[in-house]
Amino acid sequence: MCSKKGVEITMSELRIESWSMPAADLGPEDPLPPLRGEGVFLDMEKIPGIPDEKLKSWVNGTPSNILPYSRQNRFTRQRRPRDFRVAVLENEFLRATFLLEFGGRLWSLVHKPSGRELLDVNPVFQPANLALRNAWFSGGVEWNIGIYGHSTFTCSPLFAARVEGADGTPILRLYEWERIRQVPFQIDAYLPDGSPVLFVRVRIVNPHDRRMPMYWWSNIAVPETPDTRVLAPADSTYRFDYRQFDVISLPKAEGIDVTYPSNRTRAGDLFFHIPDGHRPWITALDGEGRGLVHVSTERMMGRKFFCWGMGHGGRHWQEFLSEPGRTYIEIQAGLAETQMEYSSMAAKTERSWLEGYGLMEAAPNVVHGTDWTQAWQSVEDALEQLIPRAAFDAEFKHGMEWADKPPVELLLRGSGWGALERLRREAAGEPPFCSEGLVFDDESLGEAQSPWLSLLHDGAFPASEPDKEPRGFMVQAEWHTLLEDAVNAGRGANWLAWLHLGVMRYDAGDRDGARQAWEMSLEQANTPWATRNLAVLAWEGRRFNEAVELYVAACRMRPSLLPLAVECGRTLIDVGRPRDWLELVAELPEAIRTVGRIRLLEAQAALAMGDFETVEDIFAEKPVVDDMREGEKSLSHLWFDFHEQRLSAAENVPIDDALRARVRREFPVPKEFDFRMASDETALSG
């Protein structure tokens, strides 16, 4: 038996501990509503090869923005020691650690007899711009619900509670109210006595009288080694490299065995075609045939393998998310065959399934042999020994006995939005949206919910000081009706009520109504909030001069707000007014002016003005763009554009394919500026 703090663990246990690591500051949420979509960096409609049915599902299922959520985009890269609150499940075979304050992520899974860590455990907490709300961090197992992309909860706490099974087995229940789909979900994790597998039982409930598209993927980070091989019970796969989508046979394509991440030059995905009725699983095994295996009941049919690729940009991304020398891959499992589609949930139904996580040990000579079918079948045989399919399916059914059981203890509270919805439904005489197994109590209500409570109970939305950052956006139809009725009746028709009403109208597709609301808000208080929102409307309407004037006015009202300065700078450069941006940059506070993203925008504007010296000076500083977006190539584009224009001016030669090719030969992108997703970018692309 292994021991913890000198105490032998001989039976299943759940406890709360601290996990210490260097951590960057997440920062406050962005007060600007995310009107311009930023959550997904790919335009699927422009990628060739995606089957029509999958493209249609993605287009119909993915909203244009992440409202009502706010963006988490004010993090830094300065780290200091921090203690994280974690829940630990442990039995004699496994020790599972969950980061409660950050999406309930399964952070570590240790196989105690061997002492082997089965997951990639990032030694630091470092957000980067990869999630729906911007901030995301790598490592562990992330639970993604609702819409395509890294979850809105990935950097936010979930509710955590202790539940007890009929035999006394402790169960860690993680749950929340998801506000885009407006559904509750729960994750029940447990380690029964003697189990070599961590069980994770997931349930999503659709409480509405309408069908809805649903998304779930469990993203599992595991170590990347030179001899790691990813296996699943499939003979073909969809290959997606962010440029095209095609079908290939396994294990080789163009003479390369794609099941080894060390062979992959580009970042990309493989979505395995697991036959209907076949037991779904995926594993990543090292040269000795050992590693984590993930298995589930059939409801969770999708399996994916993601790697960053061996290119300079992919290697840089790995270090940008962690520390030098750290590498990982992801093996993932979801409700649909690919992440470009949704699983449709009928009205008044629920989806539930069971996942299992454990150590896989298979014969290395077979796992790494040339016979692909024999390789994955040997893993499947070992999986049947680890946890037989019949026993696993029986465990899933057994979980129905306590799925609705109330917690015996709340360990951590999430947001107050579930409690607010509970109170709204009670006031409207509507049925509850969840069972007693999920406790959304009044103590979870906070400042963000306070004005909506006043609207519900007093019939009016309270005002606040105009210089206070707004928060707690709401776009749910029932709340929209309540606020419209209150404002139209003259109850609480203040600047803040009009601001929120404009956001609601905007999300509902009523652009004229949104403009009217924000103009009414400005009549009562001249704020950067309504001014910026009107700038977005002007931009969408291609009234670019108006958008520029509004953005500049908003930025001058709140020059210390980094997200506003970034939006303003991008807009000025996009409409061809770099001089105006450079003049505005000079007015910004030094703390904002020196941020990496602002320096990048300044360099782009300087290049547009032909000021090569300023661009060269900024490159010499090696600015770090904290919020570099996955798939973004702005730094490499700027690098190449700078050298092309500099050489063209110095040598009086045109910028043609010959010059572009020369620049790429003579001036390769420095590592610190290279975020490209592949080493085989076409010769003349950034």
Side-chain angles (χ1 to χ4, degrees), residues 546-563:
E546 179 186 345
V548 164
E549 299 308 318
L550 288 166
Y551 262 124
V552 170
C555 194
R556 282 182 169 142
M557 278 188 266
R558 197 78 167 197
S560 61
L561 182 58
L562 177 61

Side-chain angles (χ1 to χ4, degrees), residues 9-28:
I9 303 298
T10 59
M11 58 186 296
S12 182
E13 179 178 306
L14 168 61
R15 61 183 183 272
I16 298 297
E17 292 184 353
S18 291
W19 182 287
S20 298
M21 60 179 159
D25 183 13
L26 183 61

